[in-house]
Amino acid sequence: QVQLQESGGGLVQPEGSLRLSCAASRTMFNSYTLGWYRQAPGKQRELVARITSGGTTVYADSVKGRFTISRNNAANTVTLQMNSLKPEDTAVYYCNFYFAPVTWGQGTQVTVSS
């Protein structure tokens, strides 16, 4: 069974930075497109960024220029570097396989507040 483990969240002030990491136990990890998602209270889960097996990235308009997604195929991990954080970035952040999603992990809470 594929497992996803997100980490790196926390409380940060506006304009601060956080780096999220996701470890995935899936064979052929390097062949999958991966995504970072977030879900704020009372809202639907939304895609924040995704990265293909070849490293092509796509970002939601709300995070362009502030967030960077990357992957380490040797370690089966995908990371999300978040800079210039805003209060509206507050959410639980999840990772998953974009075209072949598996059971969601527990996510990691990101709270942006002064």
Side-chain angles (χ1 to χ4, degrees):
Q1 182 178 356
V2 178
Q3 292 186 327
L4 300 167
Q5 182 65 54
E6 301 92 348
S7 62
L11 173 64
V12 63
Q13 293 186 342
E15 295 303 313
S17 298
L18 282 174
R19 185 175 179 87
L20 307 184
S21 183
C22 171
S25 60
R26 191 171 199 175
T27 57
M28 302 296 290
F29 173 91
N30 59 354
S31 66
Y32 290 95
T33 294
L34 290 149
W36 276 100
Y37 303 77
R38 67 186 180 187
Q39 186 167 20
K43 295 188 176 181
Q44 289 190 335
R45 188 174 290 157
E46 63 174 351
L47 178 69
V48 173
R50 68 179 193 258
I51 184 167
T52 69
S53 58
T56 299
T57 57
V58 177
Y59 296 92
D61 287 343
S62 58
V63 307
K64 277 181 184 176
R66 301 189 297 120
F67 290 11
T68 303
I69 188 172
S70 60
R71 64 191 295 162
N72 182 335
N73 290 329
N76 277 25
T77 58
V78 58
T79 60
L80 187 69
Q81 177 66 43
M82 306 187 296
N83 299 326
S84 302
L85 283 160
K86 303 176 180 181
E88 51 263 43
D89 295 317
T90 295
V92 179
Y93 284 70
Y94 304 86
C95 66
N96 212 324
F97 297 88
Y98 182 72
F99 291 114
V102 298
T103 301
W104 294 91
Q106 293 192 340
T108 186
Q109 175 71 47
V110 171
T111 303
V112 184
S113 175
S114 55

